């Protein structure tokens, strides 16, 4: 029996697309592994973590067309839960002496910790999702924003568990660039598979015409919830990958700056497609490195430039505004990578 | 006065009207007929500037190309749209006032409001009520009155009898007749073929975005039998 | 008793601030469906203009106040022209994301051009002094704030009910296209909506400044976040809803301050937002959600 008996034409096309995108990711990864320095390795690693976040965003926001701003909070939850589970007891005795519920009295191996982190994040997302998926567009966005604020203030306030503004240190650094490469390739296949799945198609249909989809028997709330929880799994994995690579985390990176950064990535690339998510992430990640360099006030062609704090934020804002004004569906619009190739061939 | 030459109307990527030429001269009442989805509303929308179109539309010698909705209205094109679209939370009086937003002669506006109130005493009784509480027929009268408050040079009237009881329809057609008698130029869209043709000086018959036939009252009436099969409306 | 009165005044003055901001958001939203995230930067622009006027022209508080109001109005109208006009007829999420981008640009411009650190502006402190009324200690600022907001709301109601332009704006919130079909210029309606919105933001800016005494790039962010919540609570796009939501939020906040033990002070926001989320579960479209109105389509 051939494969095509089991999967649809779109899904086969999705497999091809995912393969192409994976090749791109692996190529960038190999380049930096063989030719890059430590500093560049870190940039690529960060870019791939953000790719996981943006893919997680794409799964819900892109398919359901509801702007979500809480994603960095879920990433933070994933990172902190994994960190609390995996950090050795000896270190926790120093860093979290007053932790409640015996949180500082155990340590698990990284795989179990990661699993627990994903499960807890998904569970919380499911609970929140019960509310958020029922709200209309703007209501959902504002509640997601409220969620971000709530989670952040809990991180800051419960210093006995999360250490607040200080660094949560001592997390075993078990991930390297190869791990993130494997994870992001898997993530691409999953995100694309969801997009072309029965649920993904229903969700996209409901985004275009909610009433119409409903009248065709689509349970809009349910498919939204599925996408929301699946997205949260991506975010948890991103958080875990972040913690397992750096070894220290704090509440700050899981707040507005990161929210804006990743939303800009998704918008620029085009939130309706997985290709757009990848493209946007890579363009902004590497583009911003250039801007950050300018920000520090370097010497160019013998001229000492002034320090330009805030330049990267301005660039991100400009990217969003210009994209929205001239091509609100982002660079890729509705076209996935393999469809683009097909068009060229013809 | 109003000339459409080879006009194509688009709703996004969809072409709803495929090259239509229509001509309305001063003081005439011209009617557009056709079944559901024929492109009648689309044609009026293109004239009013609500839908995008290609081809040439001229009004009193002005090319309407590139003019916004409000600029076209200011040239004297008033639309009483399909489905009425009164401002339901605003009072009846406020609806009429908004119709006169482009006018600067306050006493004139006030006397026009009084005129409509005397023409439709129901509107007078309800003048401070939310327009959404009016009945369908009353809303239709308000829609027409609102469109005329701006003292337009042409009135685009989209299915004024839609969903109304026969008695109310009669009133509406009587109103159109009296407007015509006062010299108002009217482009009327109707599915109520018989009544519409009684008013019309000239008519165009559309189907799925194409012109099927055109002619004066007699010509179109003669083709009535074939038309009634198209429109599905019994023509007796 | 004293304590109760003070807390009620507290709630009123917080509520007034949120109501002013929420009204500004709601006016723009009701007319063009835009969720203006950059509203906070309008407030910040007002704050920075106070600094500019004080250091370049004069410290006269009257001039500073009028100047800040003017700058807020101009900034709001300018933003519409430059950034929001291209996306005016686009869908809601396009507008929302554009507003995000604008907000980021402005915040970082303040950071780049002025300073990332707070800048002190103290010449409005005089609005805020303690007085005793019938044996109860209250702050004049709270009284000013509540009274000004009440006056502003009344004026707005009169404008919307009595002036022909106000009627057009109310109509535009029901069916913008139909208003244009009446020959009313869309650009003008939108510009006035942004001007009113900016003016309300300017008023709020004055009171926030009189209380805080300094401005930084994220000055407007928290107040506007609250204003959003107030809008959602009341029903997005409904003007009475915005006012109701603002005062309700003020009451919830003060209630939390009173009820929560000191050690949970840092969690106030979390509790407030949590309660708001619960209210939304009860009424997903807000308490006074406006009727979705496109006339009587058959
Ligand atoms: N906003 C729109 N978007 C997409 N397609 C549209 C839109 N409005 C109309 N159409 C399509 O354009 C075609 C013509 O529609 P139109 O409303 O002009 O017909 P009509 O003659 O007025 O019909 P009716 O008698 O039902 O009012 C139809 O096929 C319709 O589906
Ligand atoms: Mg029609």
């Amino acid at each position: 029996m051939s494969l095509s008996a089991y999967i649809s034409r779109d899904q086969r096309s999705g497999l091809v697309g995912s393969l192409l995108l994976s090749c791109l990711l692996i190529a960038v990864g190999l380049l930096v592994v063989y030719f890059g320095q430590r500093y560049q390795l870190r940039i690529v690693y960060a870019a791939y973590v953000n790719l996981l976040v943006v893919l997680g965003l794409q799964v819900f926001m892109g398919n359901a067309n509801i702007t979500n701003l809480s994603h960095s909070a879920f990433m933070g939850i994933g990172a902190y839960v994994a960190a609390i589970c995996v950090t050795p007891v000896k270190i926790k005795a120093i860093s979290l002496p007053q932790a409640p519920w015996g949180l500082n009295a155990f340590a698990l191996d990284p795989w179990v910790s990661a699993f627990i982190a994903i499960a807890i994040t998904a569970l919380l997302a499911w609970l929140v999702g019960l509310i958020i998926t029922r709200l209309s567009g703007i209501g959902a966005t504002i509640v997601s924003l409220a969620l971000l604020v709530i989670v952040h203030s809990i991180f800051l306030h419960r210093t006995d568990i999360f250490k607040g503004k200080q660094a949560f240190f001592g997390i075993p650094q078990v991930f390297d660039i190869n791990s993130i490469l494997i994870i992001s390739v898997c993530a691409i296949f999953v995100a694309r598979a969801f997009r072309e799945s029965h649920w993904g198609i229903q969700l996209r249909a409901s985004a275009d015409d909610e009433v119409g989809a409903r009248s065709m028997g689509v349970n809009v709330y349910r498919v939204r919830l599925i996408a929301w929880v699946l997205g949260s799994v991506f975010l948890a994995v991103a958080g875990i990958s972040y913690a397992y690579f750096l070894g220290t985390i704090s509440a700050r990176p899981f707040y507005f700056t990161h929210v804006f950064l990743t939303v800009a990535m998704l918008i620029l690339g085009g939130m309706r497609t997985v290709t757009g998510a990848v493209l946007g992430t890579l363009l902004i990640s590497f583009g911003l490195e250039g801007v950050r360099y300018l920000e520090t006030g370097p010497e160019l062609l013998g001229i000492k430039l002034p320090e330009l704090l805030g330049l990267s934020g301005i660039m991100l804002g400009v990217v969003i505004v210009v994209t929205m004004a001239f091509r609100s569906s982002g660079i890729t619009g509705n076209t996935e990578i393999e469809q683009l190739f097909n068009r060229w061939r013809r | 006065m109003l000339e459409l030459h080879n006009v194509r109307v688009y709703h996004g990527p969809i072409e709803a009207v495929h090259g239509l030429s229509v001509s309305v001269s001063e003081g005439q009442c011209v009617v557009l007929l056709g079944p559901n989805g024929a492109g009648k509303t689309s044609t009026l929308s293109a004239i009013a500037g609500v839908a995008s179109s290609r081809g040439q539309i001229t009004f009193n010698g002005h090319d309407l190309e590139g003019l916004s909705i409000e600029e076209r209205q200011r040239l004297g094109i008033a639309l009483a749209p399909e489905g009425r679209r009164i401002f339901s939370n605003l009072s009846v009086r406020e609806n009429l006032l908004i119709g006169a937003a482009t006018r600067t002669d306050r006493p004139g506006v006030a006397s026009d409001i009084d005129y409509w109130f005397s023409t439709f005493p129901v509107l007078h009784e309800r003048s401070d009520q939310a327009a959404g509480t009016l009945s369908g027929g009353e809303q239709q009268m308000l829609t027409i009155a609102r469109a005329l408050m701006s003292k337009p040079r042409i009135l685009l009237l989209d299915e004024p009898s839609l969903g109304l009881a026969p008695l109310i329809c009669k009133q509406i057609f009587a109103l159109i007749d009296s407007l015509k008698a006062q010299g108002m130029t009217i482009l009327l869209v109707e599915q109520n073929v018989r009544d519409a043709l009684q008013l019309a000086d000239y008519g165009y018959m559309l189907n799925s975005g194409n012109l099927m036939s055109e002619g004066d009252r007699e010509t179109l009436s003669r083709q009535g039998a074939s038309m009634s099969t198209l429109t599905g409306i019994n023509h007796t | 008793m004293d304590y109760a009165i003070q807390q009620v005044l507290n709630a009123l003055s917080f509520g007034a601030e949120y109501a002013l901001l929420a009204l500004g958001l709601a006016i723009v939203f009701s007319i063009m469906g835009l969720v203006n995230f950059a509203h906070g930067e309008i407030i910040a622009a007002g704050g920075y203009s106070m600094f500019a006027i004080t250091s370049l022209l004069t410290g006269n508080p009257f001039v500073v106040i009028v100047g800040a109001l003017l700058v807020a109005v101009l900034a709001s109208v300018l933003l519409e022209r430059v950034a929001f006009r291209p996306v005016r007829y686009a869908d809601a999420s396009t507008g929302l994301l554009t507003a995000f981008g604008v907000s980021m640009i402005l915040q970082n411009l303040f950071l780049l051009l002025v300073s990332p650190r707070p800048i002190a502006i103290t010449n409005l402190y005089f609005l805020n002094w303690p007085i005793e009324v019938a044996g109860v200690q209250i702050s004049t600022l709270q009284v000013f704030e509540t009274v000004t907001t009440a006056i502003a709301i009344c004026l707005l109601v009169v404008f919307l009910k009595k002036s022909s332009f106000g009627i057009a704006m109310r109509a535009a919130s029901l069916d913008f296209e139909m208003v244009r079909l009446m020959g009313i210029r869309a650009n003008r309606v939108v510009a006035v909506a942004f001007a009113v919105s900016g003016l309300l933001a300017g008023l709020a800016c004055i009171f926030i400044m009189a209380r805080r005494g300094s401005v930084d790039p994220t000055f407007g962010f928290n107040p506007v976040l609250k204003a959003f919540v107030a809008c959602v609570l009341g029903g997005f796009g409904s003007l009475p809803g915005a006012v109701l939501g603002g005062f309700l939020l003020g009451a919830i906040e003060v209630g939390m301050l009173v009820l929560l033990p000191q050690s949970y002070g840092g969690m106030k926001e979390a509790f407030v937002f949590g309660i708001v989320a619960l209210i939304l579960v009860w009424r997903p479209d807000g308490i006074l959600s406006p009727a979705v109105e496109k006339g009587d389509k058959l």
Side-chain angles (χ1 to χ4, degrees):
Chain A
M1 268 255 253
S2 77
L3 197 60
S4 60
Y6 295 98
I7 64 173
S8 74
R9 226 185 107 231
D10 284 342
Q11 285 166 343
R12 234 178 314 151
S13 164
L15 273 179
V16 177
S18 309
L19 264 176
L20 287 171
L21 290 175
S22 306
C23 292
L24 176 66
L25 289 186
I26 293 170
V28 173
L30 289 181
L31 263 179
V32 77
V33 167
Y34 285 107
F35 301 107
Q37 290 143 7
R38 218 181 123 67
Y39 164 72
Q40 278 134 349
L41 214 66
R42 281 180 79 126
I43 292 174
V44 171
Y45 193 94
Y48 281 26
V49 169
N50 281 336
L51 176 64
L52 293 177
V53 176
V54 176
L55 285 172
L57 259 182
Q58 198 277 330
V59 167
F60 178 75
M61 182 168 157
N63 291 320
N65 196 18
I66 296 175
T67 307
N68 170 27
L69 303 172
S70 64
H71 48 284
S72 303
F74 285 104
M75 181 186 174
I77 293 172
Y80 271 112
V81 173
I84 290 168
C85 290
V86 79
T87 306
V89 176
K90 261 192 223 156
I91 296 177
K92 279 199 281 197
I94 304 165
S95 65
L96 304 174
Q98 269 143 29
W101 315 310
L103 286 180
N104 53 6
F106 71 95
L108 303 168
D109 83 283
W111 290 110
V112 178
S113 304
F115 178 77
I116 292 175
I118 292 171
I120 289 183
T121 312
L123 183 72
L124 286 175
W126 179 71
L127 284 174
V128 175
L130 289 178
I131 301 174
I132 252 177
T133 52
R134 260 151 220 279
L135 298 172
S136 62
I138 308 137
T141 305
I142 303 290
V143 171
S144 75
L145 197 64
L147 196 66
L148 181 72
V149 176
I150 293 175
V151 171
H152 188 70
S153 62
I154 293 175
F155 284 160
L156 285 188
H157 180 71
R158 292 305 299 255
T159 43
D160 50 345
I161 308 177
F162 305 107
K163 296 207 46 97
K165 283 187 176 131
Q166 285 168 315
F168 186 118
F169 54 87
I171 307 162
Q173 288 165 278
V174 288
F175 274 19
D176 58 13
I177 187 90
N178 296 324
S179 345
I180 197 76
L181 262 177
I182 295 167
I183 293 173
S184 40
V185 165
C186 294
I188 284 190
F189 276 91
V190 176
R192 190 65 205 273
F194 178 78
R195 186 177 185 268
E196 307 305 340
S197 74
H198 190 57
W199 289 325
I201 292 166
Q202 288 187 346
L203 190 57
R204 282 186 282 151
S206 75
D208 290 337
D209 177 6
E210 186 173 335
V211 182
R214 238 180 254 284
S215 67
M216 310 247 294
V218 175
N219 186 342
V220 177
Y221 296 149
R222 204 173 70 108
V223 283
R224 272 192 204 155
L225 189 60
I226 292 168
W228 174 260
V229 173
L230 179 63
S232 79
V233 170
F234 279 71
L235 299 167
V237 172
I240 296 164
S241 313
Y242 179 80
Y244 281 6
F245 181 76
L246 282 184
T248 54
I249 55 176
S250 71
R252 249 185 89 124
F254 308 120
Y255 209 39
F256 279 108
T257 318
H258 186 253
V259 170
F260 288 140
L261 174 71
T262 43
V263 166
M265 288 172 171
L266 185 59
I267 289 170
L268 174 67
M271 66 178 186
R272 303 231 194 116
T273 61
V274 175
T275 310
V278 175
L279 199 64
T281 309
L282 294 183
L283 282 178
I284 291 198
S285 295
F286 300 130
L288 264 193
E289 271 323 304
V291 178
R292 290 224 177 87
Y293 173 70
L294 284 181
E295 231 173 18
T296 57
E299 238 185 76
L300 273 186
L301 306 170
I303 304 162
K304 176 86 177 91
L305 295 175
E307 206 178 69
L308 295 171
L309 275 180
L311 196 62
S312 54
I314 294 175
M315 291 314 291
L316 277 183
V318 169
V319 164
I320 294 182
V321 172
V322 170
T323 311
M324 284 295 124
F326 296 106
R327 194 173 162 85
S328 64
S329 56
I331 296 175
T332 57
N334 247 334
T335 315
E336 292 279 10
I337 186 167
E338 79 283 356
Q339 294 163 335
L340 199 66
F341 274 104
N342 285 341
R343 226 177 273 167
W344 275 346
R345 275 214 313 246
R346 258 180 238 136
Chain B
M1 184 180 209
L2 178 70
E3 302 283 343
L4 277 69
H5 185 70
N6 198 16
V7 168
R8 298 165 176 276
V9 186
Y10 300 88
H11 298 287
I14 303 163
E15 188 177 287
V17 175
H18 322 292
L20 177 66
S21 300
V22 167
S23 156
V24 184
S25 27
E26 181 116 39
Q28 242 188 348
C29 174
V30 172
V31 58
L32 292 181
L33 301 167
N36 292 108
K40 309 179 296 290
T41 302
S42 304
T43 306
L44 293 195
S45 305
I47 299 168
V50 178
S52 58
S53 62
R54 293 219 188 106
Q56 200 180 34
I57 307 179
T58 52
F59 180 64
N60 273 336
H62 295 274
D63 190 348
L64 296 188
E65 166 111 41
L67 294 191
S68 66
I69 299 175
E70 46 270 49
E71 282 163 337
R72 293 176 194 218
Q73 197 273 356
R74 281 159 187 262
L75 286 177
I77 301 175
L79 173 67
E82 184 176 22
R84 307 194 269 268
R85 289 169 71 177
I86 51 149
F87 302 112
S88 56
N89 285 6
L90 269 56
S91 72
V92 171
R93 186 187 294 278
E94 286 171 336
N95 267 277
L96 292 175
L97 272 175
I98 273 208
T102 47
R103 286 171 61 181
T104 45
D105 57 325
R106 278 176 178 243
V109 171
S111 76
D112 276 6
I113 290 183
D114 288 341
Y115 168 78
W116 286 114
F117 279 169
S118 64
T119 314
F120 301 122
V122 209
L123 296 186
H124 194 193
E125 283 162 34
R126 308 271 178 94
S127 63
D128 292 322
Q129 267 181 35
T133 62
L134 297 177
S135 76
E138 291 157 3
Q139 290 190 5
Q140 186 60 55
M141 291 166 191
L142 180 59
T143 306
I144 297 176
R146 182 183 64 178
L148 290 171
M149 281 302 292
S150 62
K151 292 218 173 287
R153 312 180 70 164
I154 187 170
L155 175 66
L156 312 178
L157 202 48
D158 199 344
E159 302 209 32
S161 71
L162 189 68
L164 300 183
L167 202 67
I168 315 279
C169 281
K170 240 190 183 135
Q171 260 183 303
I172 300 278
F173 282 111
L175 169 67
I176 300 172
D177 206 20
S178 77
L179 288 175
K180 201 184 139 192
Q182 289 165 29
M184 175 60 77
T185 313
I186 299 172
L187 179 55
L188 173 69
V189 163
E190 256 305 327
Q191 294 211 15
N192 199 336
V193 178
R194 194 184 47 169
D195 289 330
L197 278 180
Q198 268 176 12
L199 289 170
D201 300 310
Y202 201 83
Y204 296 84
M205 177 73 207
L206 274 61
N207 190 23
S208 0
N210 293 308
L211 182 66
M212 303 305 287
S213 62
E214 63 178 287
D216 53 20
R217 191 183 309 165
E218 286 70 35
T219 323
L220 287 175
S221 292
R222 247 180 281 125
Q223 299 171 339
S226 64
M227 240 158 30
S228 61
T229 51
L230 263 178
T231 55
I233 288 168
N234 217 334
H235 170 75
T236 45
Chain C
M1 189 60 206
D2 278 18
Y3 183 68
I5 291 176
Q6 273 163 11
Q7 294 307 337
V8 167
L9 253 180
N10 258 337
L12 277 178
S13 69
F14 276 147
E17 181 192 315
Y18 300 149
L20 282 178
L21 294 175
L23 259 181
L25 290 173
I27 279 189
V28 166
F29 181 81
S30 71
I31 287 178
M32 50 184 288
L34 172 76
V35 181
N36 187 6
F37 255 98
H39 201 59
E41 281 57 53
I42 304 287
I43 310 176
Y48 281 110
S49 74
M50 290 181 182
F51 167 63
I53 294 169
T54 312
S55 50
L56 298 177
L57 286 173
T58 160
N60 179 336
F62 182 72
V63 178
V64 169
I65 287 176
V66 172
L69 288 177
L70 269 179
V71 167
V73 169
L74 287 180
S76 184
V77 173
L78 193 72
L79 278 193
E80 190 274 320
R81 287 238 44 164
V82 177
F84 297 130
R85 198 163 286 185
V87 296
R88 184 184 292 168
Y89 302 110
D91 62 20
S93 62
T94 305
L96 176 86
L97 293 169
T98 305
F100 257 135
V102 171
S103 160
M104 276 170 82
I105 295 174
L106 290 179
Q107 266 189 33
N108 285 287
L109 271 181
F110 294 141
L111 196 152
L112 181 68
L113 298 180
V114 191
S115 161
R117 277 177 289 280
I119 288 173
I121 294 154
T122 50
N123 43 7
L124 294 182
Y125 276 154
F126 77 98
L127 289 172
N128 193 6
W129 79 92
I131 52 168
E132 220 182 83
V133 177
V136 183
Q137 280 277 339
I138 55 175
S139 126
T140 49
L141 182 63
Q142 293 180 329
V143 178
F144 283 141
E145 210 164 358
T146 313
V147 171
T148 310
T149 304
I151 294 173
I153 291 173
C154 289
L155 288 179
L156 190 61
V157 169
V158 171
F159 169 69
L160 290 174
K161 290 262 175 196
K162 297 292 174 212
S163 76
S164 59
F165 208 83
I167 296 172
M169 288 183 65
R170 273 159 61 216
S173 70
L174 296 169
D175 188 341
F176 196 6
E177 189 176 271
M178 200 59 229
V179 168
R180 300 183 66 197
L181 281 166
M182 306 277 93
I184 298 163
R185 295 198 169 96
N187 285 347
R188 229 180 260 181
V189 174
V190 172
V192 171
F194 270 88
V196 171
S197 168
L199 183 66
L200 295 172
L203 281 176
C205 168
I206 289 164
F207 295 121
I208 300 174
M209 201 55 113
R211 190 176 303 134
R212 270 224 244 153
S214 72
V215 56
D216 60 61
T218 57
F219 181 68
F221 191 82
N222 262 318
V224 164
L225 195 59
K226 299 284 174 55
F228 273 116
V229 173
C231 278
V232 175
L233 262 187
F236 224 110
S238 149
L239 303 192
V243 175
L244 177 78
F247 281 104
L248 188 62
L249 187 65
I252 295 176
E253 279 208 341
V254 171
M256 283 296 126
L257 277 179
V258 173
L259 295 177
L260 280 182
Q262 202 73 46
S263 64
Y264 273 81
M267 295 282 280
K268 191 191 85 190
E269 305 282 270
F271 279 94
V272 170
F273 282 81
I275 289 176
V276 167
L278 286 182
I279 295 180
L280 284 179
V281 177
W282 166 55
R283 286 196 77 114
D285 291 325
I287 297 169
L288 301 178
S289 56
V292 179
E293 195 59 65
K294 278 277 174 203
D296 176 2
K297 268 262 174 198
L298 281 165

